[in-house]
Amino acid sequence: MKRIFSLLFLAALLFEANAQERKAPAYPLITHDPYFSVWSFSDGLNASTTKHWTGANQSLQGLVKVDGKTYRFLGKQEAELLTILPASDEVNYTAKYTESKPADGWEKAGFKDSDWKAGSAPFGDENAKTAWKSREIWVRRPFNLDRTDFKDLKLKIAHDDDADVYINETKIYDCHCVNGKFTYIPVPASVLKKGANIITMHVVNTGGISWADFGLVYEKQMPADGVILAKQKEVIVNATQTIYKFDLGSTDLAVTFTSPLLMNDLNLVSRPVSYVSFALKANDNKVHDASVYFGASTTLAVNTPFQQVTTKAYKSGALNVLKAGTVAQPVLKTRGDDVRIDWGYMYVAAPENAEARQYISNAENATASYLSGKPATNVAEGKSLVLSTVLPFKVGGTEVEKHLMLAYDDLLSVQYFGKDLRPWWNSNNDQTIDQQLAAADQQYASVIQQCTDFDAKFHAANVKAGGEQYADLSDLAYRQSISAHKLVKSPKGELLFLSKENFSNGSINTVDITYPSAPLFLVYNPDLLKGMMNGIFEYSESGKWKKPFAAHDLGTYPLANGQTYGEDMPVEESGNMIILTAALAKVEGNAEYAKKHWETLSVWANYLSKEGFDPANQLCTDDFAGHLARNANLSVKAIVALGGYAMLADQLGHKDVAAKYKTMAQEMAKKWMTMADDGDHYALTFDKKGTWSQKYNLVWDKVLKLGIFPESVFRKEVAYYLTKQNAFGLPLDSRKTYTKSDWIMWTATLTDNDEDFQKFVRPIHKFALETPSRVPLNDWHETTDGKQVGFQARSVVAGYSMKLLDDLLNDK
């Protein structure tokens, strides 16, 4: 019994040690914008394939040789998917289809389909090749095979909504679900036969988007390579850098990914170049021959891995460069949420003095060439190729460092009211990516030092504001927040910092994404917040948006040609824009930005004065929770916005307007306290007692010192919230147990002492370290088990900086 207890105790210690190694739900590696964004979804850098924030594989691989032994430190050897029957992302195939229910046996080979139509895939809504407008569609697609001995056969399918699929009459798939992107379903090879085969599909559109596309692939396993997994000793996540340290026996390796998103330098923020640095040092006082292999898959430049890419190896000044991009180059043609860029070009560049060897090959030959030492012949065109670089090292007791650069030139970034815009770094069309790479290489030492200095200062400022766990969360949020935007210049010469609503609905420049994201940018560069607001103001002031309240968005990323969200949020978005304009005036010490847009702000304030206090049945930023009438928290937003408008009017010298709206807001606040009162707290809505909600919108009254609500309201709510917490945080409201972590940080800032503040922060820190959902920081999770409910990699986690903003504005 003692021995069993000892073993259990030891196991518990080992589990705890492993748990302590985790620093994030996912780790940022390359982070620049919604398209150029590569992450590790595991604690060990060599435990999984690196991915785009959407979860699609975008493989980076790293190997290191020391004295003849080879170790893997980055990524995982991927199996290659080979096509049997292509889907529409490879070829424009045709199939027979009908939208009228066919006779029984439609899935059989001998079924007479002569009266069916022929159409090109995919089948679906207006974005498809063949329009499918009814509720159901049936598709038949014959094919021939000269072999059937496929191992790991998979159905490749995308469908919206419910689908069932047959091969040669055998049902192989039946799912009452939506798969908006291609998924791969195992299929027994026994359903195939040599010669004639048929695959058939039935899809039911239960509402919204319709889609049907399918094919067959099989998985080619890579041969065992005898590579040793490097022992990871540590991972450190800073604001701009993620650092990994490995034990290679006689040698230590440090790998640093740096995306220099320093907001005081917009040219640097816009430059689409990340550094990957490798530092080797012997720990046995001996000299060792070593080399580092770095491979970047061309999946970084495609939406789906079956798209054909073209490549090039060339020399540019003091750099050796590898380049890849799709053959098709559909510039600004791919839009939506769960998509990746398939235009422009990716680059891997090595300084000439690093003595690098570079080559381009398929995935199997990429590492095989490195392991064998035999040169690979460059491949000019293909699918899922790898850009490989080998760096030689002579390692002794003094650390030796070399670096590479990974870059992406998207050529054109967004479309803005019909005008295609270049990235900020090339807004005048006078720069090339080679010039950007050269500048990045020349400035390497300086930029790395700036990043190191900033990371230390950023962490220290957040420790001072909210403690060590708060600072850790802020570090995790930093790169994610910035890289969920694209920096461009408008045709009028204004800065535009356009967000993508990641895994929400793919909207561009959504106002209720800007609103929670604002605090970080108010602290470090208010011009970037203006860049999030300029487009919304122009939309109204140009006459394109004619309603007396603010728009919800500017379109679907990357097309900012006008709102595409299906429903307005009049109180929500008008309140957001006014509050943020007031916050800018507070931070900058003047109301010049408000003056520029005063007429528009006044229209919105007038709307809120009539419709904001007791909101009609409508959506707010928490639209996932559904419509809500008489929403007390939305009412707070309107009241605080009117107080902010009064503050702006006062700064601009409109004293009568300021007095009118300040009085109006204060009277509304008194009325609100009576109507929302529910004993020891305030209710979710004015008409439903026995309910509650986080009144996170109150935080702006406190942070901006507007003087609208008495502090007793903050204290009353905070005391009640502390009785409602679960293991992974405070629920959003009494309807569900899920929460939004950005709003919790705002609610926490309502506290008047550190002890209470930490009570809100600790569960969010626990969530970040223990959530079973291994994705970039998601802001919508269950407070009972820490699982992701939705959303990921969104900019709204910049809202964690509300406490930092409070400290900045109020001299704490």
Side-chain angles (χ1 to χ4, degrees):
M1 182 64 71
K2 288 182 178 178
R3 184 170 182 270
I4 293 173
F5 177 80
S6 297
L7 288 172
L8 290 172
F9 181 71
L10 178 60
L13 287 177
L14 288 172
F15 177 81
E16 184 178 349
N18 288 333
Q20 289 172 350
E21 291 173 2
R22 181 166 164 181
K23 300 292 180 66
Y27 297 80
L29 304 179
I30 309 295
T31 49
H32 287 276
D33 60 41
Y35 287 139
F36 192 27
S37 181
V38 185
W39 297 68
S40 173
F41 281 37
S42 57
D43 298 316
L45 185 60
N46 55 13
S48 64
T49 302
T50 57
K51 301 176 184 292
H52 185 257
W53 67 260
T54 57
N57 285 354
Q58 290 193 335
S59 177
L60 303 178
Q61 291 196 63
L63 304 175
V64 56
K65 282 183 185 176
V66 182
D67 296 335
K69 290 184 178 180
T70 305
Y71 302 83
R72 178 180 298 280
F73 64 85
L74 166 61
K76 194 175 182 180
Q77 183 82 320
E78 279 191 284
E80 189 176 358
L81 292 177
L82 300 179
T83 299
I84 300 171
L85 185 66
S88 69
D89 60 336
E90 293 186 77
V91 300
N92 294 319
Y93 72 86
T94 59
K96 289 289 193 76
Y97 75 97
T98 182
E99 296 180 61
S100 301
K101 186 175 181 179
D104 291 344
W106 67 273
E107 74 280 8
K108 297 181 179 180
F111 182 80
K112 302 299 182 183
D113 58 11
S114 56
D115 59 340
W116 289 31
K117 298 176 183 177
S120 296
F123 303 87
D125 60 18
E126 68 272 10
N127 296 314
K129 288 285 181 64
T130 299
W132 155 34
K133 298 180 180 178
S134 61
R135 186 171 186 269
E136 298 178 72
I137 190 170
W138 291 260
V139 182
R140 290 171 52 85
R141 187 181 179 193
F143 63 100
N144 289 289
L145 293 175
D146 57 12
R147 53 172 287 210
T148 61
D149 58 337
F150 301 107
K151 292 185 177 180
D152 296 314
L153 178 67
K154 297 179 187 297
L155 169 68
K156 175 183 175 182
I157 187 168
H159 62 89
D160 196 339
D161 297 283
D162 306 340
D164 50 280
V165 180
Y166 300 79
I167 293 180
N168 298 328
E169 305 179 24
T170 300
K171 182 178 283 190
I172 61 167
Y173 182 72
D174 188 352
C175 189
H176 294 274
C177 62
V178 173
N179 279 316
K181 62 181 178 181
F182 285 117
T183 53
Y184 300 87
I185 311 300
V187 175
S190 59
V191 301
L192 300 175
K193 59 185 180 180
K194 287 186 179 181
N197 293 259
I198 189 163
I199 184 170
T200 58
M201 175 166 60
H202 169 224
V203 185
V204 179
N205 178 25
T206 59
I209 295 171
S210 59
W211 202 259
D213 193 5
F214 60 156
L216 292 172
V217 300
Y218 71 99
E219 193 172 287
K220 179 184 178 182
Q221 293 294 334
M222 297 299 181
D225 53 19
V227 172
I228 305 165
L229 282 183
K231 180 182 178 182
Q232 184 175 304
K233 298 190 296 182
E234 186 179 16
V235 57
I236 302 166
V237 182
N238 294 327
T240 66
Q241 297 181 313
T242 303
I243 304 164
Y244 293 89
K245 296 181 180 181
F246 297 91
D247 179 357
L248 309 178
S250 63
T251 307
D252 296 324
L253 168 67
V255 182
T256 303
F257 296 87
T258 305
S259 295
L261 304 180
L262 301 175
M263 285 189 276
N264 64 334
D265 185 341
L266 295 185
N267 291 324
L268 196 55
V269 169
S270 175
R271 181 191 290 166
V273 182
S274 274
Y275 301 106
V276 187
S277 310
F278 312 96
L280 285 164
K281 181 181 179 181
N283 56 39
D284 60 359
N285 296 318
K286 296 180 181 179
V287 176
H288 303 272
D289 289 319
S291 63
V292 168
Y293 167 86
F294 178 82
S297 170
T298 57
T299 50
L300 271 74
V302 301
N303 183 32
T304 70
F306 292 91
Q307 289 178 278
Q308 196 83 356
V309 296
T310 182
T311 70
K312 181 181 179 181
Y314 66 97
K315 190 175 186 305
S316 175
L319 296 174
N320 294 313
V321 184
L322 302 176
K323 170 185 178 181
T326 59
V327 172
Q329 289 295 306
V331 180
L332 294 174
K333 299 299 182 185
T334 304
R335 64 183 176 90
D337 194 355
D338 190 1
V339 297
R340 289 138 298 280
I341 194 168
D342 57 1
W343 70 88
Y345 297 90
M346 64 176 289
Y347 297 81
V348 178
E352 189 175 40
N353 60 14
E355 301 177 324
R357 175 170 70 92
Q358 292 188 303
Y359 56 95
I360 303 167
S361 66
N362 63 28
E364 183 175 354
N365 289 337
T367 53
S369 175
Y370 174 66
L371 293 171
S372 68
K374 297 177 182 178
T377 302
N378 281 348
V379 177
E381 193 171 306
K383 301 170 189 171
S384 297
L385 303 178
V386 180
L387 310 185
S388 298
T389 303
V390 179
L391 299 171
F393 284 80
K394 181 70 74 172
V395 183
T398 302
E399 185 176 83
V400 181
E401 182 187 273
K402 294 186 179 183
H403 69 273
L404 299 174
M405 293 172 290
L406 193 58
Y408 205 101
D409 181 3
D410 58 8
L411 306 177
L412 295 171
S413 301
V414 299
Q415 189 174 92
Y416 183 72
F417 296 115
K419 177 75 172 178
D420 294 343
L421 301 184
R422 301 178 186 277
W424 177 273
W425 62 267
N426 193 29
S427 54
N428 296 323
N429 197 22
D430 58 358
Q431 285 289 305
T432 66
I433 192 64
D434 286 339
Q435 289 172 316
Q436 291 291 303
L437 284 166
D441 187 49
Q442 292 162 10
Q443 298 165 12
Y444 171 72
S446 170
V447 169
I448 292 296
Q449 188 60 57
Q450 289 179 61
C451 288
T452 301
D453 292 345
F454 173 79
D455 290 351
K457 291 176 182 176
F458 181 76
H459 189 82
N462 282 289
V463 169
K464 177 177 177 291
E468 195 65 47
Q469 291 187 345
Y470 174 73
D472 288 344
L473 288 166
S474 298
D475 288 339
L476 288 184
Y478 185 85
R479 271 173 284 170
Q480 175 173 315
S481 303
I482 300 169
S483 63
H485 299 81
K486 189 68 183 182
L487 183 62
V488 294
K489 186 179 290 186
S490 79
K492 293 165 55 177
E494 289 187 322
L495 187 155
L496 297 174
F497 195 48
L498 303 175
S499 64
K500 180 176 181 181
E501 200 170 337
N502 292 344
F503 272 16
S504 304
N505 61 8
S507 293
I508 187 170
N509 205 193
T510 303
V511 177
D512 55 287
I513 293 294
T514 296
Y515 178 67
S517 303
L520 177 67
F521 303 100
L522 283 164
V523 173
Y524 285 99
N525 191 338
D527 284 343
L528 288 172
L529 177 55
K530 294 174 189 174
M532 299 150 110
M533 300 169 67
N534 287 337
I536 298 296
F537 277 121
E538 182 172 349
Y539 194 17
S540 281
E541 292 163 2
S542 66
K544 293 182 176 71
W545 179 259
K546 302 180 185 301
K547 299 178 182 181
F549 46 80
H552 171 270
D553 62 78
L554 291 185
T556 301
Y557 198 94
L559 306 180
N561 294 322
Q563 179 172 310
T564 53
Y565 191 73
E567 186 172 342
D568 297 331
M569 298 185 189
V571 174
E572 173 70 38
E573 311 304 16
S574 300
N576 292 341
M577 290 294 288
I578 295 172
I579 289 170
L580 296 182
T581 306
L584 281 166
K586 190 78 169 181
V587 167
E588 295 188 320
N590 66 75
E592 289 304 306
Y593 189 70
K595 183 178 181 180
K596 182 179 178 181
H597 302 292
W598 190 245
E599 184 177 342
T600 304
L601 290 166
S602 297
V603 170
W604 294 341
N606 182 58
Y607 178 85
L608 291 181
S609 71
K610 298 174 181 177
E611 306 292 340
F613 173 72
D614 194 353
N617 190 38
Q618 61 190 276
L619 293 174
C620 69
T621 183
D622 303 316
D623 54 354
F624 52 84
H627 294 76
L628 197 63
R630 314 197 74 188
N631 183 336
N633 188 44
L634 188 59
S635 176
V636 168
K637 177 169 290 184
I639 296 167
V640 172
L642 293 172
Y645 180 75
M647 183 196 85
L648 292 169
D650 185 66
Q651 285 183 278
L652 291 173
H654 306 309
K655 301 299 182 182
D656 54 339
V657 175
K660 173 186 172 181
Y661 277 88
K662 181 70 175 285
T663 300
M664 181 189 300
Q666 289 175 331
E667 289 177 351
M668 284 182 174
K670 291 177 183 177
K671 188 177 179 182
W672 183 95
M673 291 168 64
T674 299
M675 291 176 62
D677 187 63
D678 198 8
D680 57 355
H681 69 284
Y682 296 98
L684 169 68
T685 65
F686 290 140
D687 59 341
K688 293 179 181 177
K689 303 307 178 184
T691 62
W692 64 274
S693 64
Q694 290 188 50
K695 309 301 188 304
Y696 52 80
N697 288 314
L698 284 167
V699 75
W700 292 107
D701 188 25
K702 178 185 180 185
V703 172
L704 301 182
K705 291 196 174 300
L706 297 175
I708 306 301
F709 286 87
E711 291 184 4
S712 59
V713 173
F714 310 158
R715 290 193 295 270
K716 182 174 179 177
E717 283 290 276
V718 165
Y720 187 78
Y721 299 152
L722 290 174
T723 71
K724 294 296 179 181
Q725 292 217 99
N726 290 325
F728 294 96
L730 175 68
L732 181 67
D733 59 45
S734 53
R735 290 174 291 178
K736 300 280 187 178
T737 55
Y738 58 55
T739 195
K740 292 280 277 82
S741 58
D742 48 343
W743 298 147
I744 289 179
M745 289 299 194
W746 289 27
T747 294
T749 306
L750 289 171
T751 60
D752 57 10
N753 64 85
D754 184 65
E755 181 181 354
D756 285 346
F757 179 79
Q758 297 303 328
K759 289 176 182 177
F760 289 107
V761 171
R762 280 194 291 270
I764 301 305
H765 188 263
K766 176 183 173 70
F767 156 74
L769 296 190
E770 297 180 20
T771 174
S773 306
R774 304 309 302 270
V775 298
L777 203 55
N778 74 280
D779 53 285
W780 180 19
H781 72 267
E782 259 296 341
T783 61
T784 54
D785 57 17
K787 289 182 180 178
Q788 176 187 25
V789 179
F791 309 155
Q792 66 194 49
R794 301 204 309 168
S795 68
V796 302
V797 292
Y800 290 4
S801 291
M802 182 60 84
K803 186 66 166 62
L804 185 64
L805 176 65
D806 186 33
D807 277 22
L808 171 73
L809 291 179
N810 298 310
D811 297 323
K812 293 184 179 179

